[in-house]
Amino acid sequence: MMKYLLIGLLTVCLNLMTSLALAKNDKHHDNYNSLPPGLQKNVNRGKPLPPGWQKKLARGDILDDSIYIRGRVVVPLGRDGAITINVDGTFIKLYEHTREIIDIF
């Protein structure tokens, strides 16, 4: 009887540990890689971004793919791996491979 109780307890503990280890942190992902849901829907439909979208960006953030695709490279790849793109009249300097924002003009 004690043997079955111990096996059951170990099984529950292993299941709990496995589920905690495999859980992903959606808040971290959403804050750094994507637009708010409403803006993302508009971008997916091909609609322009609303005025003021630039205020949602800051140095050190990762530029979302949907914004990067809308941009046009105006300063090519430098020695430090940085490029400058023009998105709807806003110039964004970022590292090309990581898309980390260095500066917004």
Side-chain angles (χ1 to χ4, degrees), residues 41-83:
K41 283 181 185 178
N42 286 341
V43 168
N44 291 344
R45 293 177 183 153
K47 294 182 179 178
L49 293 169
W53 63 267
Q54 302 92 335
K55 294 177 186 175
K56 302 215 182 276
L57 302 176
R59 290 181 188 173
D61 287 350
I62 305 299
L63 188 66
D64 188 62
D65 290 341
S66 58
I67 296 175
Y68 180 80
I69 290 170
R70 298 174 77 89
R72 182 178 55 88
V73 177
V74 292
V75 177
L77 185 64
R79 289 186 177 156
D80 61 351
I83 61 172

Side-chain angles (χ1 to χ4, degrees), residues 13-58:
C13 288
L14 285 174
N15 284 337
L16 180 61
M17 288 174 26
T18 303
S19 65
L20 289 175
L22 295 177
K24 71 177 189 176
N25 187 353
D26 287 335
K27 287 184 180 180
H28 177 75
H29 176 75
D30 289 341
N31 287 339
Y32 292 101
N33 291 328
S34 64
L35 294 168
L39 289 180
Q40 188 64 49
K41 283 181 185 178
N42 286 341
V43 168
N44 291 344
R45 293 177 183 153
K47 294 182 179 178
L49 293 169
W53 63 267
Q54 302 92 335
K55 294 177 186 175
K56 302 215 182 276
L57 302 176

Side-chain angles (χ1 to χ4, degrees), residues 73 75-84 93-97 102:
V73 177
V75 177
L77 185 64
R79 289 186 177 156
D80 61 351
I83 61 172
T84 302
K93 184 175 182 179
L94 56 113
Y95 294 112
E96 183 183 36
H97 293 292
I102 300 169

